[in-house]
Amino acid sequence: MTSFLSVSLLAPGLASENFAAVSKPWCRVSCLWTSSTIGGVGVIQTQLTAFSCASGEYLEMKNQVCSKCGEGTYSLGSGIKFDEWDELPAGFSNVATFMDTVVGPSDSRPEGCNNSSWVPRGNYIESNRDDCTVSLIYAVHLKKSGYVFFEYQYVDNNIFFEFFIQNDQCQEMDTTADKWVKLTDNGEWGSHSVMLKSGTNILYWRTTGILMGSKAVKPVLVKNITIEGVAYTSECFPCKPGTFSDKPGSFICQVCPRNTYSEKGAKECIRCDEDSQFSEEGSSECMERPPCTSKDYFQIHTPCDEEGKTQIMYKWIEPKICREDLTDAIRLPPSGEKKDCPPCNPGFYNNGSSSCHPCPPGTFSDGTKECRSCPAGTEPALGFEYKWWNVLPGNMKTSCFNVGNSKCDGMNGWEVAGDHIQSGAGGSDNDYLILNLHIPGFKPPTSMTGAMGSELGRITFVFETLCSADCVLYFMVDINRKSTNVVESWGGTKEKQAYTHVIFKNATFTFTWAFQRTNQGQDNRRFINDMVKIYSITATNAVDGVASSCRACALGSEQSGSSCVPCPPGHYIEKETNQCMECPPDTYLSIHQVYGKEACIPCGPGSRSTQDHSVCYSDCFFYHEKENQSLHYDFSNLSSVGSLMNGPSFTSKGTKYFHFFNISLCGHEGKKLAVCTNNITDFTVKEMVAGSDDYTNLVGAFVCQSTIIPSESKGFRAALSSQSIILADTFLGVTVETTLQNINIKEDMFPVSPSQIPDVHFFYKSSTTTTSCVNGRSTAVKMRCNPAKPGAGAISVPSKCPAGTCDGCTFYFLWESVEACPLCTEHDFHEIEGACKRGFQETLYVWNEPKWCIKGISLPEKKLSTCETVDFWLKVGAGVGAFTAVLLVALTCYFWKKNQKLEYKYSKLVMTTNSKECELPAADSCAIMEGEDNEEEVVYSNKQSLLGKLKSLATKEKEDHFESVQLKSSRSPNI
């Protein structure tokens, strides 16, 4: 390694000797630095720090003057550059850790991280692909302030990529507060630079892969590391192989063109024998041309000619490196027969020429007929529908890119093939074959103004992949040309299928399809037949789109001609009059259909619509009838976001991670308040939301999930977060039933509630589909009354599905809280009457135990009422009893006396009848004896009384019977 004045390089031997003694994971090298160490490692000590040589110069130590570098060499003057990565340059070291465990020399590493390191790949260095943490470290001592600059490729958010700087006291420098490196687009190099302070600077490039599934992460690539700030260099760098410098005083070496090569320190490039040899750009040697095979050519469909014909032609892959004159070499196949060109795509027409043209505004065509104007009361349905592929559409482009070389630069990455478009041959198997579609914006139809946050459009494509290796198709989206993010990817062979991506924002979009046959770094064409075919691409509501049909629109009351007017949000078009009509209450307007009242879709149970009828939501109040009892629930105190940290879980190599869920139970009138972020450490959600609405690492929903990696990063308040996904962005309804729209909560999924209070279930779904969830994800939240869980309570997931889901598509949560109990009613308390004391009695009201309600009505105040004591009623009872006894005795005596008189009269009558001394005729009545009462109206019955019967038995006069007659007091005149 070239020696530098005022520069200190960490020797690899020093690092491997002392790593085992270092305890701090952040400071594996810098803790070992001392002034004596720096002076003894690759440093020439001098006091000539006043010199500063320019670019292309070096300090000639003998004469102490700056001299120009000779031919075949270069110099940055006050900087150093690392652009050769055939091996790890001197001064660099690899340190592998397994999350929190420091790993020193390779022979002492844990078994899982033995092979984890940054790997030199010629023009760049590549990070590890596993879930170990590997740091690429370089230490430099500067006598003045400077900076570090490097280029990188970082396309996979399943890797954390950090760059930070420490001093010799294990302290991170202020200049690396933002340590997280930004993602780059597939096929593009990004750059990163950080200011360096004078003194010791220890540079860390650190990556940590997060392998949550079977798919391997894509590594980080780094090249062209440049450090500025050294005083001067004592000698110049030789040009690396494949480059040259033909002038003195060069500060950079030029790359050798194709079919030339150069060795290290070359002044010029040497040409290869073009008949038998070839070389790529920047080669260090020439290679023999192989015989041509079927992998060296590809087929294309020619554009339509004037006769409307096309044919298949074959072309050599450029640059052509094979030979046709060798044994076993094949020649280019002849062109195919001419066939009729496919029709134009919908919205385009053929005006008799060999090309298709878009229909003028206000007209439509299915691609086979001329453009026609839309009828009155209709408007064009704008968009793009590409299903015929004779030529590449004007708003699409294709390219080829390889991060390690420029073989495929200028090639077409994709080729049209009639009824589909397919990936091309490229320069090698690990090329990225890129197809782009640019759309300047999306907007709803004229009759639909579209509410905030509602769907504006969607893009759908039908594809299939045919692979024999580890091919991958990436679908990426770029918004406003800021950053490209991978939305979905498919690996290996996939049958013909459709995928849909929904657009919620009116912005400039670039959709990208990138196909790679293999990512194993193979610089050949072994898998040339592996390809992806896209049969159709459809984009709805595109701003600059064309129309294949017309749809009904609303007409103004004083319209001119057939012009359409926009309907207010939440209004549909009445079929008979074509006028705008507001949707009924508690319905929302379909985003796909606005014609007819059926476009207003009823909200789910327990939900209502927003004022503009854009979405349905819950106001956190719920009503349920149970056994003639009304249950009212108020979940408003749980409407703020609830969180659950579930885990820990471990990857196949033992990396610990957590699943973090945010749940916005009701939202705020349809607004989704749950937010999940990626790679965010020291920023608050509020700051991010306020900063930019294009923040691509932030997702908002009713329910979202992030993967949390524990971190001991110094100076950061939160753990690392990645892989944020939306689990639910649409509210379906709230009910006590366990099933709603194919979402079923099984009885054995959660423990049975100890109370008789029914659980309330909130149901949600996600509008975004994935390869594993073709109908999108869905979520069910079970709200359970639990008085033992105050405040926000506790959220849990099923024990049988510790990740919250058993199939990856439907998620279940149990939220227990006292706030989930129904409101209190008169059925939830009872009264207790106290004893009567001194004429007053207290009545108290207490809650039923256990208490299964909150809020609602309050307990009534205790009631005080007048009462009578027990002694008073006892006296009353005794008096009434005595009076009754006296009355009974009196009545008994009365009737006994009267009975005695009747017996006496009867006896006298019997005696008179039996007397024989009386010969007088029977008289009408007996005389009244002296002392007898004159009782008229006495009637005797022929039935004897009990006493009479006893007397008859005593006198043995059984045969004599008398009939009772009424005795008259008047006497006969004859007597």
Side-chain angles (χ1 to χ4, degrees):
M1 181 65 188
T2 304
S3 298
F4 298 96
L5 291 178
S6 306
V7 181
S8 300
L9 304 179
L10 177 63
L14 176 65
S16 54
E17 274 182 6
N18 296 282
F19 276 142
V22 180
S23 59
K24 283 192 177 182
W26 296 116
C27 196
R28 303 174 179 87
V29 179
S30 58
C31 286
L32 305 177
W33 280 91
T34 63
S35 58
S36 60
T37 304
I38 296 173
V41 182
V43 180
I44 298 176
Q45 297 294 331
T46 179
Q47 300 297 323
L48 301 178
T49 56
F51 284 94
S52 180
C53 295
S55 298
E57 296 180 342
Y58 72 100
L59 179 64
E60 188 179 347
M61 299 299 298
K62 183 177 181 180
N63 300 322
Q64 296 185 6
V65 295
C66 292
S67 302
K68 291 185 177 181
C69 293
E71 296 177 352
T73 64
Y74 75 99
S75 169
L76 299 178
S78 60
I80 51 178
K81 184 176 183 179
F82 301 96
D83 54 2
E84 295 183 52
W85 298 98
D86 297 315
E87 60 181 6
L88 197 64
F92 282 87
S93 59
N94 267 308
V95 177
T97 64
F98 198 67
M99 297 311 295
D100 296 334
T101 304
V102 180
V103 183
S106 59
D107 57 354
S108 65
R109 297 178 182 180
E111 184 178 351
C113 295
N114 277 340
N115 299 320
S116 296
S117 66
W118 286 76
V119 181
R121 297 292 189 187
N123 292 328
Y124 58 89
I125 186 169
E126 178 183 286
S127 73
N128 59 310
R129 296 169 179 259
D130 53 26
D131 52 358
C132 293
T133 297
V134 182
S135 297
L136 179 67
I137 305 173
Y138 184 79
V140 60
H141 189 80
L142 302 182
K143 290 298 183 181
K144 62 178 181 179
S145 299
Y147 66 88
V148 58
F149 168 89
F150 61 90
E151 297 179 71
Y152 68 96
Q153 270 271 335
Y154 177 29
V155 297
D156 194 343
N157 61 4
N158 290 316
I159 276 190
F160 291 124
F161 181 30
E162 310 165 72
F163 176 75
F164 59 95
I165 305 168
Q166 288 185 347
N167 59 19
D168 55 359
Q169 300 299 319
C170 304
Q171 297 174 343
E172 288 190 24
M173 312 290 269
D174 296 337
T175 54
T176 58
D178 186 10
K179 63 164 58 176
W180 306 104
V181 182
K182 296 180 180 179
L183 289 167
T184 61
D185 298 343
N186 272 295
E188 293 187 8
W189 287 94
S191 61
H192 190 80
S193 62
V194 176
M195 298 300 297
L196 300 178
K197 295 182 178 181
S198 60
T200 300
N201 293 267
I202 305 173
L203 315 180
Y204 289 82
W205 292 264
R206 184 170 63 184
T207 57
T208 301
I210 309 301
L211 276 63
M212 299 304 173
S214 58
K215 186 169 59 178
V217 298
K218 295 183 68 64
V220 174
L221 310 180
V222 175
K223 69 176 183 178
N224 293 337
I225 297 177
T226 303
I227 300 175
E228 286 282 350
V230 299
Y232 41 78
T233 176
S234 59
E235 60 185 28
C236 299
F237 289 100
C239 291
K240 69 177 184 177
T243 64
F244 71 98
S245 172
D246 58 354
K247 296 179 181 179
S250 297
F251 66 92
I252 192 172
C253 297
Q254 303 178 52
V255 179
C256 290
R258 294 181 186 274
N259 296 324
T260 65
Y261 75 98
S262 70
E263 297 178 349
K264 188 172 184 179
K267 301 178 182 180
E268 60 181 359
C269 299
I270 304 173
R271 298 193 66 82
C272 300
D273 182 359
E274 295 187 4
D275 293 332
S276 61
Q277 295 179 326
F278 77 99
S279 70
E280 300 294 341
E281 190 179 77
S283 296
S284 59
E285 61 180 350
C286 294
M287 294 178 288
E288 296 295 325
R289 294 182 181 271
C292 292
T293 66
S294 60
K295 296 180 180 180
D296 292 305
Y297 66 84
F298 63 97
Q299 70 176 30
I300 63 169
H301 285 67
T302 62
C304 290
D305 56 19
E306 296 179 354
E307 299 177 356
K309 301 289 184 179
T310 183
Q311 66 179 149
I312 295 178
M313 294 185 65
Y314 298 90
K315 297 178 64 176
W316 294 112
I317 296 175
E318 296 294 340
K320 182 184 177 184
I321 60 174
C322 65
R323 293 176 60 180
E324 301 178 60
D325 56 349
L326 297 178
T327 306
D328 298 332
I330 66 171
R331 296 185 179 275
L332 207 62
S335 301
E337 296 181 0
K338 288 191 174 184
K339 298 181 179 180
D340 291 336
C341 289
C344 295
N345 281 309
F348 292 82
Y349 73 101
N350 189 322
N351 59 358
S353 64
S354 59
S355 59
C356 297
H357 301 275
C359 287
T363 63
F364 71 100
S365 172
D366 62 358
T368 61
K369 302 176 182 177
E370 293 184 355
C371 300
R372 294 172 292 170
S373 299
C374 288
T378 64
E379 63 178 347
L382 298 180
F384 293 105
E385 183 181 359
Y386 297 133
K387 61 180 182 179
W388 300 110
W389 304 93
N390 185 57
V391 294
L392 196 67
N395 60 348
M396 299 185 72
K397 67 177 183 178
T398 177
S399 59
C400 177
F401 180 81
N402 192 304
V403 296
N405 57 62
S406 57
K407 286 182 180 180
C408 69
D409 289 356
M411 290 185 178
N412 287 333
W414 294 63
E415 301 289 345
V416 294
D419 64 342
H420 66 273
I421 184 172
Q422 65 186 32
S423 56
S428 58
D429 286 339
N430 61 352
D431 292 342
Y432 284 101
L433 307 174
I434 298 173
L435 179 67
N436 301 110
L437 169 63
H438 179 76
I439 295 181
F442 289 86
K443 68 175 183 179
T446 302
S447 299
M448 284 183 64
T449 55
M452 181 66 67
S454 61
E455 178 180 325
L456 296 182
R458 54 178 56 196
I459 181 167
T460 303
F461 58 93
V462 179
F463 72 98
E464 69 173 337
T465 57
L466 306 171
C467 300
S468 59
D470 56 338
C471 71
V472 182
L473 171 65
Y474 298 93
F475 174 63
M476 299 173 286
V477 176
D478 171 77
I479 302 177
N480 291 332
R481 298 180 179 178
K482 290 187 176 181
S483 64
T484 301
N485 292 283
V486 177
V487 175
E488 190 60 82
S489 62
W490 299 265
T493 298
K494 297 296 181 183
E495 296 181 354
K496 191 175 182 180
Q497 58 186 276
Y499 178 80
T500 299
H501 179 69
V502 181
I503 308 299
F504 295 98
K505 181 178 181 179
N506 183 18
T508 300
F509 282 82
T510 298
F511 303 99
T512 301
W513 294 263
F515 181 72
Q516 188 181 39
R517 291 194 288 268
T518 180
N519 64 354
Q520 298 303 317
Q522 299 178 2
D523 197 12
N524 52 40
R525 299 187 183 120
R526 290 178 52 196
F527 309 110
I528 192 69
N529 293 323
D530 291 5
M531 67 178 66
V532 56
K533 296 180 179 180
I534 295 181
Y535 293 91
S536 65
I537 299 177
T538 303
T540 63
N541 299 336
V543 169
D544 61 344
V546 294
S548 60
S549 61
C550 299
R551 57 189 161 205
C553 67
L555 300 178
S557 56
E558 299 179 357
Q559 73 277 13
S560 58
S562 61
S563 61
C564 297
V565 297
C567 284
H571 286 62
Y572 67 95
I573 303 173
E574 211 281 326
K575 291 183 178 180
E576 295 183 359
T577 62
N578 272 32
Q579 300 296 310
C580 297
M581 301 291 292
E582 185 176 3
C583 283
D586 296 334
T587 63
Y588 68 97
L589 186 64
S590 169
I591 56 179
H592 305 293
Q593 167 69 23
V594 295
Y595 196 58
K597 191 174 182 179
E598 58 270 19
C600 301
I601 304 174
C603 293
S607 61
R608 61 179 61 187
S609 63
T610 55
Q611 188 174 0
D612 58 4
H613 297 278
S614 60
V615 294
C616 295
Y617 72 97
S618 169
D619 59 1
C620 275
F621 290 90
F622 180 69
Y623 172 80
H624 174 63
E625 286 281 350
K626 178 190 175 186
E627 300 176 356
N628 298 324
Q629 180 180 355
S630 299
L631 297 178
H632 296 263
Y633 295 83
D634 180 6
F635 300 104
S636 56
N637 286 345
L638 301 177
S639 61
S640 59
V641 177
S643 300
L644 168 65
M645 181 79 78
N646 188 34
S649 300
F650 298 88
T651 64
S652 58
K653 285 193 174 183
T655 300
K656 182 169 64 174
Y657 66 92
F658 296 85
H659 287 305
F660 182 74
F661 300 95
N662 273 333
I663 301 176
S664 175
L665 190 65
C666 306
H668 178 66
E669 295 187 359
K671 296 180 181 178
K672 296 155 266 191
L673 302 181
V675 176
C676 295
T677 59
N678 289 337
N679 282 4
I680 303 303
T681 55
D682 208 29
F683 302 97
T684 64
V685 171
K686 181 179 179 180
E687 291 169 347
M688 288 185 296
V689 174
S692 173
D693 56 1
D694 291 331
Y695 199 87
T696 56
N697 288 332
L698 184 148
V699 296
F702 284 108
V703 185
C704 61
Q705 171 192 317
S706 295
T707 301
I708 305 298
I709 310 299
S711 175
E712 296 179 359
S713 300
K714 184 178 178 181
F716 289 89
R717 299 191 300 268
L720 303 181
S721 173
S722 71
Q723 300 179 347
S724 296
I725 58 175
I726 294 176
L727 302 183
D729 56 14
T730 302
F731 181 77
L732 297 180
V734 52
T735 175
V736 296
E737 303 297 330
T738 57
T739 302
L740 181 67
Q741 294 192 15
N742 299 324
I743 307 174
N744 181 31
I745 305 177
K746 298 180 180 179
E747 294 182 0
D748 60 346
M749 189 161 288
F750 295 103
V752 178
S753 174
S755 74
Q756 298 298 321
I757 302 299
D759 297 331
V760 180
H761 306 100
F762 284 72
F763 293 92
Y764 312 85
K765 71 174 183 178
S766 171
S767 57
T768 302
T769 61
T770 64
T771 53
S772 56
C773 304
V774 293
N775 295 321
R777 298 184 179 93
S778 55
T779 302
V781 181
K782 178 186 283 286
M783 306 301 298
R784 175 168 293 175
C785 172
N786 190 338
K789 305 283 186 180
I795 304 175
S796 60
V797 295
S799 57
K800 61 170 62 177
C801 305
T805 177
C806 298
D807 58 3
C809 297
T810 305
F811 291 77
Y812 303 94
F813 301 93
L814 172 64
W815 195 335
E816 296 179 276
S817 171
V818 66
E819 297 291 340
C821 296
L823 301 180
C824 295
T825 65
E826 62 274 6
H827 300 286
D828 296 302
F829 63 85
H830 61 277
E831 64 179 26
I832 299 178
E833 293 183 349
C836 185
K837 296 180 179 180
R838 299 179 181 179
F840 294 96
Q841 184 181 37
E842 283 188 348
T843 302
L844 300 178
Y845 298 90
V846 295
W847 295 111
N848 299 332
E849 291 295 337
K851 182 184 177 184
W852 298 102
C853 66
I854 59 169
K855 295 185 269 188
I857 66 173
S858 302
L859 280 177
E861 297 291 337
K862 66 179 180 179
K863 184 173 64 175
L864 189 66
S865 58
T866 59
C867 64
E868 300 292 342
T869 62
V870 177
D871 295 341
F872 172 79
W873 290 110
L874 185 59
K875 294 177 181 179
V876 172
V880 172
F883 174 78
T884 304
V886 172
L887 181 62
L888 289 175
V889 170
L891 290 174
T892 301
C893 294
Y894 171 77
F895 286 109
W896 180 81
K897 182 177 180 181
K898 188 173 182 179
N899 186 50
Q900 290 293 333
K901 290 181 180 181
L902 290 176
E903 288 181 356
Y904 174 77
K905 291 180 181 181
Y906 178 75
S907 299
K908 296 290 289 183
L909 181 62
V910 170
M911 293 174 64
T912 304
T913 306
N914 294 333
S915 178
K916 297 195 182 278
E917 296 177 359
C918 185
E919 296 179 356
L920 293 175
D924 292 336
S925 63
C926 293
I928 298 175
M929 299 299 292
E930 184 179 354
E932 295 180 350
D933 295 332
N934 184 13
E935 295 181 1
E936 300 179 358
E937 308 295 329
V938 178
V939 179
Y940 295 90
S941 171
N942 61 344
K943 294 183 180 180
Q944 291 179 317
S945 66
L946 179 60
L947 184 61
K949 289 181 179 181
L950 293 175
K951 289 183 176 181
S952 297
L953 291 174
T955 57
K956 299 181 181 179
E957 293 293 336
K958 302 176 181 177
E959 67 277 6
D960 296 331
H961 298 281
F962 299 92
E963 291 182 359
S964 61
V965 296
Q966 184 175 7
L967 300 180
K968 303 294 184 177
S969 60
S970 60
R971 298 189 177 190
S972 172
N974 296 326
I975 295 177

